[in-house]
Amino acid sequence: MSMPNQTSARASATSTVGAGATDAVSLLTNDHADVAELFEAYEALVESEAGEDEKQALAERICALLTAHATIEEEIFYPAAREALDEQNLLDEAEVEHATAKDLIEQIQSMDPADELYDAKVKVLGEYVNHHVQEEEGELFPRCQGAEIDLDELGEEISARREELLEELGLDDDEAS
């Protein structure tokens, strides 16, 4: 599942983060790219008929990272965007998409990788997340970049909260990306 401009967006986000900047849009875009790579890795496991343990470990990692990402957006990014933007419909849709993704994540987490629809649910989650990412990166993020939002300050909040969430989920930053 390749996403348009993901490689360049990730390189940009990585170099921005590496330089010490914590721009919120760059951090969130980097998360998007990282998760897209994990979905591609999962698809490769399915195609190579990898073992259930390997698929489950990767699916659990994807679910944990998506849960942390959605929490960050809902707690920090979306409220700031709601305050600064007139386009509330975009944010309403994003929150509904999060709710649907969370439902699918719960289903995956409650399943065994040997279950008939396990791989299909992970694939559909990936497609759904891809659609969500395209809307955020194509519509919401550019509007936020042109709005009265301190994206650097917001990025610092996002970075700190991400670290907390990853620790709660048993992942560290190195393992997450």
Side-chain angles (χ1 to χ4, degrees), residues 82-116:
R82 277 197 187 279
E83 196 173 301
L85 300 177
D86 291 331
E87 299 91 353
Q88 298 301 305
N89 287 344
L90 271 178
L91 292 157
D92 292 345
E93 290 171 19
E95 290 196 32
V96 170
E97 289 171 353
H98 276 200
T100 303
K102 286 179 188 176
D103 180 55
L104 205 45
I105 287 168
E106 285 179 28
Q107 290 177 44
I108 292 166
Q109 290 174 326
S110 70
M111 295 175 76
D112 186 272
D115 292 347
E116 189 175 331

Side-chain angles (χ1 to χ4, degrees), residues 93-163:
E93 290 171 19
E95 290 196 32
V96 170
E97 289 171 353
H98 276 200
T100 303
K102 286 179 188 176
D103 180 55
L104 205 45
I105 287 168
E106 285 179 28
Q107 290 177 44
I108 292 166
Q109 290 174 326
S110 70
M111 295 175 76
D112 186 272
D115 292 347
E116 189 175 331
L117 296 178
Y118 189 85
D119 291 339
K121 288 187 182 200
V122 174
K123 181 177 178 102
V124 168
L125 178 61
E127 291 169 349
Y128 199 78
V129 167
N130 182 46
H131 167 79
H132 177 73
V133 163
Q134 287 178 349
E135 286 186 349
E136 280 190 343
E137 292 182 8
E139 297 178 50
L140 180 60
F141 290 177
R143 288 184 179 145
C144 289
Q145 288 170 318
E148 294 292 319
I149 300 175
D150 185 340
L151 293 174
D152 289 329
E153 182 180 319
L154 208 57
E156 289 175 20
E157 289 179 51
I158 287 170
S159 185
R161 182 65 174 130
R162 182 178 194 270
E163 197 171 305

Side-chain angles (χ1 to χ4, degrees), residues 1 34-48 50 54-55 58-59 61-62 122:
M1 289 179 34
D34 289 344
V35 171
E37 287 178 11
L38 294 177
F39 277 115
E40 288 174 10
Y42 188 89
E43 193 62 34
L45 289 179
V46 170
E47 289 172 12
S48 70
E54 195 174 359
K55 289 192 309 186
L58 185 52
R61 187 168 159 202
I62 290 168
V122 174

